[in-house]
Amino acid sequence: MQQLFCISSINSDSSVKNVQLLRQIIPQSLVSRESYRPFRFYENVGSTFINPLNYYIITPHYLILLKKDLSVAYIQQNTNLIDVYSDHFKALMEHCEPLVFLAASVADLFDISNSLVDPNGNLYLMSQPCFGRYYTPEIIHKYYKAENSPMTTMAEAAMQHASLLQTVEKNFCTVFSEKGLQYFIETGIVAELPPEYISAAEVKDRIYLLTRLRNDIADGKVTGLIARPSLLRLPDYLTLSMDSNGNAYFDTTSTFPRGAFYCNIHISEKSICQAFRDFFTSLSGSHLVYSKEETLRMLDEGLRKLSGKSPLPG
């Protein structure tokens, strides 16, 4: 199925309007397993008819005209009219670009994850902290279930990803939730990785990962932000990451309710990506997240829960 979306021209409200399109596009893309293909065009290409029923669906034998709020539908079997709308659709397609790029395999997921790592900075928003930069070959081999792997080089790809993340020395930001942090502390399960390929981390390795994260946040090497649950709710089934070029990537996690775990959606449309970047950069110091001191305190509490030791030095 192909669908065309009209992207608003650049103005003060365009980013918000364009981002709202994702509420429709992302769920459909995630469950379609690559059968749904959304495209974008801009208002200035003569995109819309002056018609109150300017939403339409074309099938081989029917034309369905729809009002924007779906309160009215008009079905036509007139072949000439179907041809008119089909020709209009094809003409628009010549001006269109894919709105999203979809990858739906484990191999593609690792390739994309490695390609988006940027030494100039990466932004990650997910339910759990981004621990990838702290994975060692020993940890990867310890928890990697090779017998279930769909590809023999999965562990090598994971090690490459970890080594690439370690090259990011500035502007590394990870935004996560209290719930996701506690889930990792209690279970050792890393939700962003397929559970059939990765085992839950032992307590000592949870302590290692949390300690590395805690120290990097304290030293300013990493910006770690915990969302206030009453103000900023992060879905536990989806992650958002951005590179310094402004590209946005959505990935499903092991808790995605419709079963499309191996899925990455890449969005490069400028106004949409800029809206996400503006959101990311506005978080630090805002009322939507805990302060750095509160974040360190929560991490220290998690470490004490795991180790039973006295408070860590500040």
Side-chain angles (χ1 to χ4, degrees), residues 252-294:
T252 50
T253 73
S254 57
T255 58
F256 185 70
R258 299 292 294 275
F261 178 78
Y262 307 120
C263 189
N264 173 281
I265 297 175
H266 169 204
I267 300 172
S268 59
E269 201 285 319
K270 291 183 179 179
S271 67
I272 293 176
C273 292
Q274 186 59 51
F276 281 115
R277 179 163 290 279
D278 291 344
F279 170 72
F280 261 117
T281 55
S282 70
L283 282 178
S284 184
S286 77
H287 66 288
L288 299 177
V289 298
Y290 291 106
S291 66
K292 179 177 179 179
E293 292 73 21
E294 290 171 310

Coordinates of all heavy atoms in Angstrom, one line a residue, residues 252-294:
T252 N 11.7 -0.5 17.3 CA 10.9 -1.2 18.3 C 11.8 -2.0 19.2 O 12.9 -2.3 18.9 CB 9.9 -2.2 17.5 OG1 10.7 -3.0 16.6 CG2 8.9 -1.4 16.8
T253 N 11.2 -2.3 20.4 CA 11.9 -3.1 21.4 C 11.2 -4.4 21.6 O 10.2 -4.6 21.0 CB 12.1 -2.3 22.7 OG1 10.8 -2.3 23.4 CG2 12.5 -0.9 22.5
S254 N 11.7 -5.1 22.6 CA 11.1 -6.5 22.8 C 9.7 -6.4 23.4 O 9.0 -7.4 23.4 CB 12.0 -7.3 23.8 OG 12.2 -6.5 25.0
T255 N 9.3 -5.2 23.9 CA 8.0 -5.1 24.5 C 6.9 -4.6 23.5 O 5.8 -4.3 23.9 CB 8.0 -4.2 25.7 OG1 8.5 -2.9 25.3 CG2 8.9 -4.8 26.8
F256 N 7.3 -4.4 22.2 CA 6.4 -3.9 21.2 C 5.1 -4.8 21.2 O 5.3 -6.0 21.0 CB 7.0 -3.8 19.8 CG 6.1 -3.1 18.8 CD1 5.8 -1.8 18.9 CD2 5.6 -3.9 17.8 CE1 5.0 -1.2 18.0 CE2 4.7 -3.3 16.9 CZ 4.4 -1.9 17.0
P257 N 3.9 -4.3 21.3 CA 2.7 -5.1 21.5 C 2.3 -5.9 20.3 O 1.5 -6.9 20.4 CB 1.7 -4.2 22.0 CG 2.1 -2.8 21.5 CD 3.6 -2.9 21.5
R258 N 2.7 -5.5 19.1 CA 2.2 -6.1 17.9 C 3.2 -7.1 17.3 O 3.0 -7.6 16.2 CB 1.7 -5.1 16.9 CG 0.6 -4.2 17.4 CD -0.7 -5.0 17.6 NE -1.2 -5.4 16.3 CZ -2.0 -4.7 15.5 NH1 -2.3 -3.5 15.9 NH2 -2.4 -5.2 14.4
G259 N 4.3 -7.3 17.9 CA 5.3 -8.3 17.5 C 6.2 -7.9 16.3 O 6.8 -8.8 15.7
A260 N 6.4 -6.6 16.0 CA 7.3 -6.2 15.0 C 8.6 -5.8 15.5 O 9.0 -4.6 15.4 CB 6.6 -5.1 14.1
F261 N 9.3 -6.7 16.3 CA 10.5 -6.2 17.0 C 11.6 -5.7 16.1 O 12.1 -4.7 16.3 CB 11.0 -7.4 17.9 CG 12.2 -7.0 18.6 CD1 12.1 -6.2 19.7 CD2 13.5 -7.3 18.2 CE1 13.3 -5.8 20.4 CE2 14.6 -6.9 18.8 CZ 14.5 -6.2 20.0
Y262 N 11.9 -6.4 15.0 CA 13.0 -6.1 14.2 C 12.6 -5.0 13.2 O 12.3 -5.3 12.0 CB 13.5 -7.3 13.4 CG 13.9 -8.4 14.3 CD1 13.2 -9.6 14.2 CD2 14.8 -8.3 15.4 CE1 13.5 -10.7 15.1 CE2 15.1 -9.3 16.2 CZ 14.5 -10.5 16.1 OH 14.7 -11.5 16.9
C263 N 12.5 -3.8 13.7 CA 12.0 -2.7 12.8 C 12.7 -1.4 13.1 O 12.8 -1.0 14.3 CB 10.5 -2.6 13.0 SG 9.7 -1.5 11.8
N264 N 13.2 -0.8 12.1 CA 13.8 0.5 12.3 C 13.2 1.5 11.2 O 13.0 1.1 10.1 CB 15.3 0.5 12.0 CG 15.9 1.9 12.0 OD1 15.9 2.6 11.0 ND2 16.5 2.2 13.1
I265 N 12.7 2.6 11.7 CA 12.1 3.6 10.8 C 13.1 4.8 10.8 O 13.4 5.4 11.8 CB 10.7 4.1 11.3 CG1 9.8 2.9 11.3 CG2 10.2 5.2 10.5 CD1 8.4 3.2 11.9
H266 N 13.6 5.2 9.6 CA 14.5 6.3 9.5 C 13.7 7.4 8.8 O 13.1 7.3 7.8 CB 15.7 5.8 8.6 CG 16.5 7.0 8.1 ND1 17.3 6.9 7.0 CD2 16.8 8.2 8.6 CE1 18.0 8.0 6.8 NE2 17.7 8.8 7.8
I267 N 13.8 8.6 9.5 CA 13.1 9.8 9.0 C 14.2 10.9 8.8 O 15.0 11.2 9.7 CB 12.1 10.3 10.0 CG1 11.0 9.2 10.1 CG2 11.4 11.6 9.5 CD1 10.0 9.5 11.2
S268 N 14.2 11.5 7.6 CA 15.2 12.6 7.3 C 14.5 13.9 6.9 O 15.2 14.9 6.7 CB 16.1 12.1 6.2 OG 15.4 11.8 5.0
E269 N 13.2 13.9 6.9 CA 12.5 15.2 6.5 C 12.9 16.3 7.5 O 12.8 16.1 8.7 CB 10.9 14.9 6.6 CG 10.1 15.9 5.7 CD 10.0 17.3 6.4 OE1 9.8 17.3 7.6 OE2 10.1 18.3 5.7
K270 N 13.3 17.4 7.0 CA 14.0 18.4 7.8 C 13.1 19.0 8.9 O 13.6 19.1 10.1 CB 14.5 19.5 6.9 CG 15.7 19.1 6.0 CD 16.3 20.2 5.2 CE 17.4 19.8 4.4 NZ 18.0 20.9 3.5
S271 N 11.9 19.4 8.6 CA 11.1 20.0 9.6 C 10.7 19.1 10.8 O 10.7 19.5 11.9 CB 9.8 20.6 9.0 OG 9.0 19.6 8.5
I272 N 10.5 17.8 10.4 CA 10.2 16.8 11.5 C 11.4 16.6 12.4 O 11.3 16.6 13.6 CB 9.7 15.5 10.8 CG1 8.3 15.8 10.1 CG2 9.6 14.4 11.9 CD1 7.8 14.5 9.4
C273 N 12.5 16.4 11.7 CA 13.8 16.1 12.5 C 14.2 17.3 13.3 O 14.6 17.1 14.5 CB 14.9 15.7 11.6 SG 14.6 14.1 10.7
Q274 N 14.0 18.5 12.8 CA 14.3 19.7 13.6 C 13.4 19.8 14.8 O 13.9 20.2 15.9 CB 14.2 20.9 12.7 CG 14.6 22.2 13.4 CD 16.1 22.1 13.8 OE1 17.0 21.8 13.0 NE2 16.4 22.4 15.1
A275 N 12.2 19.4 14.7 CA 11.3 19.4 15.9 C 11.7 18.5 16.9 O 11.7 18.8 18.1 CB 9.8 19.1 15.4
F276 N 12.2 17.3 16.5 CA 12.7 16.3 17.5 C 14.0 16.8 18.2 O 14.2 16.7 19.4 CB 12.9 15.0 16.9 CG 11.7 14.2 16.7 CD1 11.2 13.8 15.5 CD2 11.0 13.7 17.8 CE1 10.0 13.1 15.3 CE2 9.8 13.0 17.7 CZ 9.3 12.7 16.4
R277 N 14.9 17.4 17.3 CA 16.1 18.0 17.9 C 15.9 19.1 18.9 O 16.5 19.2 19.9 CB 17.1 18.4 16.8 CG 18.4 19.0 17.3 CD 19.4 19.1 16.1 NE 19.9 17.7 15.8 CZ 20.8 17.1 16.5 NH1 21.3 17.6 17.5 NH2 21.2 15.9 16.1
D278 N 14.9 20.0 18.5 CA 14.6 21.1 19.4 C 14.1 20.5 20.7 O 14.4 21.1 21.8 CB 13.5 22.0 18.8 CG 14.1 22.8 17.6 OD1 15.3 22.9 17.5 OD2 13.3 23.3 16.8
F279 N 13.3 19.4 20.6 CA 12.7 18.8 21.9 C 13.9 18.3 22.7 O 13.9 18.5 23.9 CB 11.7 17.7 21.5 CG 11.3 16.9 22.7 CD1 10.4 17.4 23.6 CD2 11.8 15.6 22.8 CE1 10.0 16.6 24.7 CE2 11.4 14.8 23.9 CZ 10.5 15.3 24.8
F280 N 14.8 17.6 22.1 CA 15.9 17.0 22.8 C 16.7 18.1 23.5 O 17.0 18.0 24.7 CB 16.8 16.2 21.9 CG 16.6 14.7 21.8 CD1 16.2 14.1 20.6 CD2 16.9 14.0 22.9 CE1 16.0 12.8 20.6 CE2 16.7 12.6 22.9 CZ 16.3 12.0 21.7
T281 N 17.1 19.1 22.8 CA 17.9 20.1 23.4 C 17.3 21.0 24.4 O 17.9 21.6 25.3 CB 18.4 21.1 22.3 OG1 17.3 21.6 21.5 CG2 19.3 20.3 21.3
S282 N 15.9 20.9 24.4 CA 15.2 21.7 25.5 C 15.0 20.9 26.8 O 14.6 21.5 27.8 CB 13.8 22.1 24.9 OG 13.0 21.0 24.8
L283 N 15.3 19.6 26.8 CA 15.1 18.8 27.9 C 16.0 19.1 29.1 O 15.6 19.2 30.3 CB 15.2 17.3 27.6 CG 14.0 16.7 26.8 CD1 14.3 15.3 26.5 CD2 12.7 16.8 27.6
S284 N 17.3 19.3 28.8 CA 18.2 19.5 29.9 C 17.9 20.7 30.7 O 17.8 21.8 30.1 CB 19.7 19.5 29.3 OG 20.6 19.6 30.4
G285 N 17.7 20.6 32.0 CA 17.4 21.7 32.8 C 15.9 22.1 32.8 O 15.5 23.0 33.5
S286 N 15.1 21.3 32.1 CA 13.7 21.6 32.1 C 13.0 20.9 33.2 O 13.5 20.0 33.9 CB 13.1 21.2 30.7 OG 12.9 19.8 30.7
H287 N 11.7 21.3 33.4 CA 10.9 20.6 34.5 C 10.4 19.2 34.1 O 9.9 18.5 34.9 CB 9.7 21.5 34.8 CG 8.7 21.6 33.6 ND1 8.9 22.3 32.5 CD2 7.5 21.0 33.4 CE1 7.9 22.1 31.6 NE2 7.0 21.4 32.2
L288 N 10.7 18.8 32.8 CA 10.2 17.5 32.3 C 11.2 16.4 32.8 O 10.8 15.2 32.8 CB 10.2 17.5 30.8 CG 9.2 18.4 30.1 CD1 9.3 18.4 28.6 CD2 7.7 18.2 30.6
V289 N 12.4 16.7 33.2 CA 13.3 15.7 33.7 C 13.9 16.1 35.0 O 13.8 17.2 35.5 CB 14.5 15.6 32.6 CG1 14.0 15.1 31.3 CG2 15.2 16.9 32.5
Y290 N 14.4 15.1 35.7 CA 15.1 15.3 37.0 C 16.4 16.0 36.8 O 17.0 16.0 35.7 CB 15.3 14.0 37.7 CG 14.0 13.3 38.2 CD1 13.5 12.2 37.5 CD2 13.3 13.8 39.3 CE1 12.3 11.6 38.0 CE2 12.1 13.2 39.7 CZ 11.7 12.1 39.1 OH 10.5 11.5 39.5
S291 N 16.8 16.7 37.8 CA 18.1 17.4 37.8 C 19.2 16.4 37.7 O 19.0 15.2 38.0 CB 18.3 18.3 39.0 OG 18.4 17.5 40.2
K292 N 20.4 16.8 37.4 CA 21.6 16.0 37.4 C 21.8 15.4 38.8 O 22.1 14.2 38.9 CB 22.8 16.8 37.0 CG 24.1 16.0 37.0 CD 25.3 16.8 36.5 CE 26.6 16.0 36.5 NZ 27.7 16.8 36.0
E293 N 21.6 16.2 39.8 CA 21.8 15.7 41.2 C 20.8 14.6 41.5 O 21.2 13.5 42.1 CB 21.7 16.8 42.2 CG 22.8 17.8 42.1 CD 22.7 18.7 40.9 OE1 21.6 18.9 40.3 OE2 23.8 19.3 40.5
E294 N 19.6 14.8 41.1 CA 18.5 13.8 41.4 C 18.8 12.5 40.6 O 18.6 11.4 41.1 CB 17.2 14.3 41.0 CG 16.7 15.4 42.0 CD 15.4 16.1 41.5 OE1 15.4 16.5 40.3 OE2 14.4 16.2 42.3

